[in-house]
Each structure stands twice: as structure tokens, then as C-alpha cells.
Amino acid sequence: MAPPPPPSAPELLVGVDGGGTSLRVALVELGSTGLLRLGGRKGLQDWPGLAGFTPVPIARQRAEREAPRLDEAERLEGRARLETLASAIHEVCAGLPKARLRLGLALAGDKTEDGRGICVMTHGPRQPALLDELEQALRGRQ
């Protein structure tokens, strides 16, 4: 695995909008007016929806906000969504020069206390370690 680019490397900004059934990923560029705009590279992907996964009732999710108890089906769905997200980001960035990746994530759900995961999600799995796992998955793809 190659080391990450140095802090002085150019930056690549990618925006992610994850809804209940799908996610959109797009390269974000600085426009001529100084405002951000969507770049030419975009992707749309459906979430996997593994058999056997049913979202945990919201009341239980809220009760477990600090220490979620994920069952095997929720863990597997979370892992499948993580892989889908990492693949979609990788596809949008494929073939571009090496750069520091900056992500803007908009995902449905309530953030964990540290802001790096999702502890309550209506239509999906809770992913309390989402950003740590996503960083690992993306590093594995360089």
C-alpha cells in the first residue's frame, strides 16, 4: 500500500449524498465565480439491501445511542454499504492524479457523539465507526 500524499499535495474534493435507497457521489470543483460546483465526474449507486436485514426500530436505536448493539444482519448490511460507498468514491476518482482526498458526506441519520459515525438511522444500518472504516477502505484502494 502506498503512503498517503504529503499535506502539501493538491486536494480533491468529493461530495457524497446518501439517501434511504441510493447514494450519489460527485467530484466538486471551484467554479470561475469562486463558488463550488459539481464537476464532470458523477456516480449514482443503489445501496445493497441484503436479504435478512431489517432496520432496528427507532426507539431501540435511540435507547442504544451511546452503545449500539448491532446484530449480525445489521453488521453485514453496514459492511456492504461501506464497500458500496468506498467503491463509488473510488470510481469517481479513478485515473485522476494523486491528491489528498477531502470528503463532504451527507448521510441520513444522527451522528455519534464523536461525529465520526451514525448511531440512529431510519432506513439503514447504524454504522458507529463509519469514518474510521471508510478511511481504511479507501486507503486499501489508494
Side-chain angles (χ1 to χ4, degrees), residues 49-131:
L50 300 179
F53 170 71
T54 302
V56 173
I58 293 296
R60 180 178 147 203
Q61 290 186 46
R62 288 191 176 125
E64 296 176 3
R65 177 182 288 281
E66 300 301 318
R69 295 187 315 262
L70 282 64
D71 63 21
E72 188 64 17
E74 190 172 22
R75 265 193 288 285
L76 289 172
E77 179 69 18
R79 187 70 195 162
R81 285 187 180 213
L82 175 77
E83 288 300 319
T84 300
L85 176 56
S87 293
I89 293 168
H90 186 257
E91 285 176 25
V92 166
C93 298
L96 294 174
K98 192 169 191 167
R100 281 182 67 81
L101 178 62
R102 299 276 184 184
L103 289 176
L105 295 171
L107 299 172
D110 294 351
K111 291 189 278 186
T112 54
E113 188 69 29
D114 66 2
R116 294 187 56 81
I118 300 172
C119 59
V120 176
M121 184 178 232
T122 304
H123 299 292
R126 295 169 289 173
Q127 295 175 281
L130 176 65
L131 292 183

